Amino acid sequence: MSEEIKNTSTEYSADSIQVLEGLEAVRKRPSMYIGDTSEKGLHHLVYEVVDNSIDEAMAGYCTDIEVTINEDNSITVEDNGRGIPVDMHEKLHKSALEVVMTVLHAGGKFDKGSYKVSGGLHGVGVSCVNALSTHMLSQVFRGGKIYQQEYEKGKPLYPVKVVGETNKRGTRQQFWPDPTIFTHTVYKWDIIANRMRELAFLNAGIKITLRDLRPDEEGKTKEQVFHAKDGLKEFVRYVDRHRTHLFDDVIYLKTEKQGIPIEIAVMYNTDYSENIHSYVNNINTIEGGTHLTGFRMALTRTLKAYAEADPTISKQIEKAKVEIAPEDFREGLTAVISIKVAEPQFEGQTKTKLGNNEVMGAVDQAVGEALTYYLEEHPKEAKLIVDKVILAAQARIAARKARESVQRKSPMSGGGMPGKLADCSSKDPEECELFLVEGDSAGGSAKQGRNRAFQAILPLRGKILNVEKAMWHKAFESDEVNNIIQALGIRFGVDGEDSKEANIDKLRYKKIIIMTDADVDGSHIDTLIMTFFFRYMPQIIQNGY
Ligand code: 0RA
């Protein structure tokens, strides 16, 4: 790995060689450090630099962060924190700033006991950003002076120097991503804006200003300020802004249990799905984990206990003749969960599933206490939730009946397929493809053009049911939706009579293609079909089919 380095090593001290090897490693295998070198990796550089300012803000020393997309597509991040230290590092004989900028993972050396993330997504250190930039400029405003150092591909061009005076305090970082490393080099406003909005919601009170100095078609530049003084309360309202609420209140808690800071905001809406956004150390844990499990456990237990303790509600449940299942408590629930863990263990395919067991009990306890209190204090809202839960249980039972009747009356249960399906001859799911085609006539054309050995065609008539707006069982009453389920070989309610979980063991096609017209109706149908997959059989998406 260090062949090229050895040749030029005479001018470097032993320490420098180590540093260079570190930076060379980052440049040789950038994906190992920042995930990938596509658009995602490119934007990751910004997050990495901003994260350091966020850490400074979480430690209580910084209130403002300014992120600028410059006209030449470089990025500037400036904060009003204490400034990265510039004094001499004892062992390495160079400025602490230089160490932070050039030594892998050096960030930890100055750790203030904040919640850094080990491995996985963030926390690789600003030195990685430096290594992957053709040029980088660091400035520190501290003690009345402006300190500065510049780098090329991570290598300092000169020792840290004073370049002027200032009454500002803080750190300013500017970098130019290396176009020989990244497949994309143009920053997208929306991608950065979404992350900055999320960070502002997750860290109440921090003001993040995003600017885009690249003129648009009208020659205009952009600026947006993200600032949420109420943190997650504002976040959950934002997530649910297009939904109708069961009641306007946000159920909110912010506490610490067993040394784990926990913040949660919950709203109930009139839709039928569960939307939980969970974060650990500001990272979106899309695969969930122990914090999510703790939340769900507490929610089920607390609502159940509340319903059982209230004679009127118990009678109401008895009358409705339903057995309430855990998932019934989560219909129409939107929640944002944010916790901080000192040593997070991230697991799962994308390393976004929290594994720390101690977190489960902490979140369970926090949610149990806060929700019990909320229900006692808000009987009106509590009743609205319980009514909704009973409705959900009834719908779930109705869904089972609809499914059973479909399976009885149609030829499908015996391996029969929907009449409209033009199946392929292969029976090997690995090579079989199913085309979901908009309209019978396009379906006909697709049939003529296909390779019948492995390509099957299922024409769909018009728009399928919008499952996002329908109760669970309605999907099983819709012919078009049932045709898709049957053609795919999906079964529901296998583990436990009315489980909502799809069983895809007998999936007949491992490639599913949505084929619609390139117009608004086509896009709408795409959306409806994808929503159906996302809500009823997310495994199809998760497995990349
Ligand atoms: C450790 C110690 C001190 C400041 C920082 C880290 C710091 C790092 C970054 C990175 C971006 N912005 C930052 N702001 C501050 C200061 C220690 C002291 O002053 O005593």
Side-chain angles (χ1 to χ4, degrees), residues 63-83:
T63 56
D64 281 72
I65 301 171
E66 296 183 3
V67 180
T68 308
I69 311 170
N70 298 299
E71 233 180 310
D72 62 358
N73 215 31
S74 67
I75 297 284
T76 305
V77 177
E78 181 168 341
D79 67 49
N80 65 346
R82 292 168 294 174

Side-chain angles (χ1 to χ4, degrees), residues 77-135:
V77 177
E78 181 168 341
D79 67 49
N80 65 346
R82 292 168 294 174
I84 297 175
V86 287
D87 43 15
M88 280 294 161
H89 193 280
E90 285 164 31
K91 281 201 202 119
L92 301 178
H93 306 293
K94 47 188 148 196
S95 167
L97 173 62
E98 179 169 336
V99 175
V100 168
M101 295 306 295
T102 59
V103 180
L104 275 181
H105 294 292
K109 298 243 167 44
F110 303 95
D111 208 339
K112 299 143 278 180
S114 68
Y115 301 95
K116 292 254 162 57
V117 177
S118 50
L121 296 155
H122 302 252
V124 289
V126 70
S127 59
C128 285
V129 177
N130 195 8
L132 300 176
S133 297
T134 49
H135 193 85

Side-chain angles (χ1 to χ4, degrees), residues 315-331:
K315 244 184 239 138
Q316 195 185 343
I317 294 176
E318 223 172 278
K319 242 203 205 142
K321 293 203 180 88
V322 289
E323 189 77 37
I324 300 195
E327 67 234 48
D328 301 331
F329 291 106
R330 304 198 295 263
E331 277 199 8

Side-chain angles (χ1 to χ4, degrees), residues 121-194:
L121 296 155
H122 302 252
V124 289
V126 70
S127 59
C128 285
V129 177
N130 195 8
L132 300 176
S133 297
T134 49
H135 193 85
M136 187 150 185
L137 165 65
S138 292
Q139 291 183 316
V140 172
F141 314 112
R142 244 179 110 97
K145 293 198 174 73
I146 304 174
Y147 299 84
Q148 172 173 311
Q149 189 169 41
E150 287 172 87
Y151 319 82
E152 245 164 45
K153 298 178 187 172
K155 294 176 203 160
L157 296 178
Y158 49 82
V160 173
K161 64 182 180 191
V162 174
V163 295
E165 298 191 345
T166 180
N167 49 20
K168 279 207 293 195
R169 218 187 47 160
T171 305
R172 184 182 186 276
Q173 301 275 25
Q174 183 172 10
F175 63 92
W176 287 256
D178 189 337
T180 66
I181 301 268
F182 294 95
T183 59
H184 293 65
T185 47
V186 180
Y187 277 107
K188 289 206 172 133
W189 168 271
D190 286 341
I191 297 181
I192 301 180
N194 284 339

